[in-house]
Amino acid sequence: MAQNIGDILLKLGLVTKTQYDRAAAEQRATNEPLAAVMIRLSMLTENVLMQFVSRQYNVPSMDLTSFQLEPALIKLLRPDLANRRMAIPVKRLGRTLTVAVLDPSDMSVIGDLEFATGMQVRPVVAAYSALRRLLEQHYPVGKDLTVIAAGELAAAGSAEDIDALAPAAGSGMEGMSETGDGIEMVEEGGEGENEDVDIAQLGSTTPVVKMVNYVLTEAVRRSASDIHIEPYEKTFRIRLRQDGVLQKLMDPPMRMKSALVARIKVMAKLNVTERKKPQDGRIAVKVMGKKIDLRVSTLPVLWGEKVVMRILDASSLTLDLTNFGFTELALKNFMKAIHAPYGILLITGPTGSGKTTTLYSALSQINTPDKHIMTVEDPIEYNLKGINQIQAEPGIGFTFDVALRSILRQAPNIVMLGEIRDGPTASIAIRAALTGHLVLSTLHTNDAPSSVSRLIDMGIEPFLVASSCILIQAQRLVRRICKGCKAPVEIKPEVLQDMGFRPDQFQGATFMKGKGCPLCGNTGYKGRVGLYEVMPITPEIRDMILKHQPVTTLRAKAVEQGMLTLRMDAFGKAKQGVTTIEEMIRETAET
């Protein structure tokens, strides 16, 4: 279903080149399906087109002349989406939804419908007039309403909305021009015809450019954090990570695999001909009026190259700590620590738990003209005004510890380290804290008390840990319940008791869960909220560190002093109806 229906009609001689060009120009102006434009301009009859499409794409046809829609099915699609895609839901069987469309060759249609309904969509072909009648009857849209879909924006390839930086010299395709067809690559001076050159040329063809533009636009529109492009033996899959969970966007045709990867490599200034080694790059684009940074990683796997693009959208960066989900006491302790004159503040948690965002937010709180703030990061995710940010380059020996030594000669007041990865970096950070600097950094541990033993394992003496650390915070991100479909749910008391909660802790609590609606893509969740385990290093805990007390003892003392563990914080948010018990179980462990 991947080849454009207009291209096939032109190839078979069913429309002329003049007709095709006229229809394409009209389609770009109106955002209608190309097939609808051809019928409206009397280039084809709707019955001929319907029979042709059914045979060409092996999709059943359906007569909707006297068809009556079920009210329950009508509610599954928004009017703007139904009209934009000329799609009518006609049957539902379990999680499979049969949808009548005019043109099944547009791969973005099925993706949009599956995302909007949360179901597996099975297309059937219907006549233009019957679809239009049902749309006007059940999905009226005001004449003054202008709707531009992300997929159509990508298909139209507006150079004003999606712009990419040109590839650097030596990338295999020098020069990248922007035209009405999106991001167009122009190869200069290529000699010979081998497999690598062919793939690079294929990566610059219009269908590939449109697909990449569509994927990027959809990812930004859905507020995804990552794009995963994964090759398998017989399938080729693209998934988006939304609210921390991967969801399928589409399964492109296998024949586009190499071309799609080549296109992304060109945009990221990577070596198109190198397919046996991992590569890392960066793409700066403008999508839907927003400047987006994409961190690109390619990795050779069994059936090709896997590509992951991390999306960094500075406009979505929230720096207000009061909106993060801190409890009152946790926020008070955290704010006290970041305003301390010296010491180390550690944020711990796995990749994707929001550590960098928390650090950036902390820096924004204390970034005043009288303070000299420097950071060492790998990579620098967002540019912060008024802060000196340094990119670590381990490949040339400019590691965190080397950079930190140089930073201390610059007499900063506050230093942020992207991560304490080893003993030398930890040792210099400790020394900086003991000589009057406030050091903020991250560490990979499961909870706050475990960070103490992690530092000691790195070779730091307990008395140095005790005297330098002022606060350790562990955090996670859980999905918020969608406000549009939130409803009470019954949780059996035995289940909660098996998790270690006493009856008095959940007596009278009303737990909630999202039923699933178009607003949240039928997932029941929309957005995320933080869980925080904030452990100030009090005099009592400092003495316990000096005495080599075990992690369990440190945790018990911290809880006694008011610290909420990650599980306790998650349970509190579940009782408040912010998240679900399932999310609590998924992201936290029993303590």
Side-chain angles (χ1 to χ4, degrees):
M1 292 186 185
Q3 191 172 5
N4 183 288
I5 189 172
D7 294 334
I8 298 176
L9 292 170
L10 178 62
K11 183 178 180 180
L12 296 177
L14 296 178
V15 296
T16 66
K17 184 66 167 62
T18 302
Q19 289 176 320
Y20 177 85
D21 291 342
R22 180 188 174 193
E26 179 81 4
Q27 190 269 340
R28 284 194 292 271
T30 63
N31 285 321
E32 293 177 88
L34 185 62
V37 174
M38 289 181 170
I39 292 173
R40 185 164 54 78
L41 297 179
S42 302
M43 296 178 184
L44 293 167
T45 64
E46 59 181 29
N47 288 332
V48 168
L49 180 66
M50 182 175 70
Q51 294 172 13
F52 168 77
V53 169
S54 179
R55 289 195 305 269
Q56 180 69 33
Y57 299 112
N58 196 27
V59 175
S61 60
M62 186 172 182
D63 183 5
L64 298 180
T65 305
S66 57
F67 188 81
Q68 297 297 321
L69 291 185
E70 298 178 17
L73 293 179
I74 297 173
K75 297 178 182 179
L76 293 177
L77 291 183
R78 304 187 311 273
D80 64 302
L81 177 61
N83 279 275
R84 188 171 67 241
R85 293 309 198 180
M86 289 204 73
I88 296 289
V90 294
K91 183 180 178 182
R92 177 179 179 178
L93 183 62
R95 302 298 297 175
T96 300
L97 182 67
T98 301
V99 180
V101 295
L102 180 67
D103 176 13
S105 69
D106 188 348
M107 63 186 68
S108 65
V109 172
I110 306 303
D112 269 4
L113 296 176
E114 287 185 341
F115 177 75
T117 61
M119 302 180 193
Q120 181 180 356
V121 170
R122 173 179 172 267
V124 295
V125 183
Y128 174 82
S129 59
L131 284 171
R132 178 53 58 198
R133 177 184 66 81
L134 290 172
L135 287 170
E136 291 175 353
Q137 181 180 350
H138 299 290
Y139 295 100
V141 178
K143 293 182 180 179
D144 58 342
L145 179 62
T146 301
V147 181
I148 301 178
E152 289 166 355
L153 174 65
S158 171
E160 295 179 358
D161 290 306
I162 303 181
D163 306 301
L165 300 180
S171 65
M173 283 189 183
E174 283 77 19
M176 188 180 289
S177 63
E178 298 160 10
T179 71
D181 289 329
I183 307 170
E184 181 183 351
M185 297 166 290
V186 180
E187 184 177 10
E188 298 178 358
E191 294 184 4
E193 292 187 6
N194 54 42
E195 181 186 3
D196 297 329
V197 174
D198 289 343
I199 289 177
Q201 290 173 342
L202 187 59
S204 66
T205 58
T206 299
V208 175
V209 172
K210 289 182 177 180
M211 175 175 284
V212 172
N213 290 358
Y214 168 71
V215 170
L216 295 182
T217 308
E218 278 297 285
V220 173
R221 185 174 72 85
R222 300 184 187 187
S223 301
S225 60
D226 302 278
I227 302 170
H228 291 250
I229 300 174
E230 304 163 317
Y232 298 96
E233 181 179 10
K234 297 181 179 179
T235 59
F236 181 41
R237 180 172 66 177
I238 298 179
R239 294 190 291 174
L240 305 180
R241 189 180 297 278
Q242 299 172 248
D243 296 332
V245 178
L246 283 170
Q247 298 182 16
K248 188 178 78 170
L249 175 64
M250 64 169 67
D251 291 327
M254 286 293 289
R255 63 182 177 81
M256 297 188 73
K257 180 177 68 174
S258 297
L260 193 65
V261 173
R263 169 64 179 171
I264 293 170
K265 282 185 171 182
V266 168
M267 295 174 68
K269 307 177 187 178
L270 301 179
N271 185 351
V272 179
T273 64
E274 178 57 72
R275 298 191 295 277
K276 299 297 184 182
K277 294 180 181 179
Q279 297 186 68
D280 295 307
R282 176 178 176 178
I283 303 173
V285 293
K286 188 177 181 182
V287 182
M288 298 168 62
K290 296 194 292 186
K291 293 181 179 178
I292 304 295
D293 264 349
L294 299 167
R295 300 300 162 84
V296 181
S297 172
T298 69
L299 182 69
V301 292
L302 182 60
W303 301 108
E305 284 184 280
K306 183 179 186 296
V307 179
V308 174
M309 292 184 281
R310 186 175 185 189
I311 302 170
L312 303 176
D313 180 5
S315 66
S316 66
L317 182 63
T318 302
L319 298 177
D320 186 358
L321 288 166
T322 59
N323 294 328
F324 279 29
F326 282 97
T327 62
E328 184 177 350
L329 178 60
L331 182 59
K332 178 182 177 182
N333 287 331
F334 184 77
M335 294 296 290
K336 180 181 178 182
I338 64 175
H339 285 93
Y342 55 84
I344 291 183
L345 184 153
L346 293 174
I347 308 292
T348 79
T351 301
S353 58
K355 300 188 299 295
T356 302
T357 301
T358 301
L359 286 178
Y360 280 168
S361 301
L363 290 180
S364 72
Q365 293 283 329
I366 55 182
N367 182 19
T368 55
D370 61 321
K371 289 187 176 67
H372 180 198
I373 303 176
M374 300 189 74
T375 74
V376 186
E377 304 169 63
D378 184 21
I380 297 173
E381 297 194 5
Y382 300 103
N383 296 326
L384 300 176
K385 186 178 179 180
I387 294 176
N388 299 282
Q389 296 174 267
I390 300 169
Q391 172 70 54
E393 296 286 353
I396 61 173
F398 191 52
T399 55
F400 277 108
D401 57 320
V402 172
L404 186 52
R405 285 191 185 95
S406 300
I407 279 180
L408 295 179
R409 300 188 191 107
Q410 297 280 320
N413 301 106
I414 301 166
V415 176
M416 188 195 94
L417 278 174
E419 183 183 350
I420 294 179
R421 299 178 178 176
D422 49 40
T425 306
S427 179
I428 299 171
I430 293 284
R431 191 188 314 161
L434 294 175
T435 54
H437 303 85
L438 178 63
V439 180
L440 287 69
S441 189
T442 69
L443 200 64
H444 283 289
T445 58
N446 290 326
D447 57 18
S450 298
S451 300
V452 173
S453 60
R454 174 73 175 131
L455 290 173
I456 294 173
D457 288 343
M458 287 182 175
I460 308 300
E461 293 291 339
F463 76 91
L464 292 175
V465 176
S467 57
S468 61
C469 289
I470 56 176
L471 181 138
I472 303 174
Q473 172 178 301
Q475 64 181 64
R476 298 289 189 279
L477 292 175
V478 293
R479 292 181 291 175
R480 288 181 180 269
I481 301 173
C482 174
K483 295 180 180 179
C485 57
K486 181 187 292 188
V489 63
E490 182 181 354
I491 305 293
K492 295 182 179 180
E494 310 88 74
V495 174
L496 298 174
Q497 288 176 335
D498 289 342
M499 295 179 191
F501 296 108
R502 302 185 309 273
D504 61 287
Q505 292 179 295
F506 55 81
Q507 198 72 36
T510 302
F511 296 97
M512 310 292 283
K513 189 173 183 178
K515 291 183 176 180
C517 66
L519 183 65
C520 60
N522 283 302
T523 63
Y525 299 97
K526 191 170 181 62
R528 289 191 288 179
V529 66
L531 305 178
Y532 300 97
E533 182 177 289
V534 181
M535 185 177 81
I537 307 302
T538 61
E540 294 83 0
I541 291 179
R542 186 169 287 111
D543 289 341
M544 295 172 73
I545 295 173
L546 289 170
K547 294 175 182 178
H548 298 260
Q549 294 289 331
V551 170
T552 53
T553 307
L554 290 177
R555 183 184 297 110
K557 173 57 71 174
V559 170
E560 180 185 319
Q561 294 179 344
M563 181 190 83
L564 293 179
T565 65
L566 291 169
R567 172 60 64 94
M568 293 163 65
D569 193 21
F571 189 62
K573 288 180 170 63
K575 289 197 294 184
Q576 296 168 11
V578 176
T579 190
T580 62
I581 293 295
E582 289 82 1
E583 281 293 287
M584 178 190 76
I585 296 171
R586 186 173 69 90
E587 286 293 340
T588 67
E590 293 185 32
T591 55

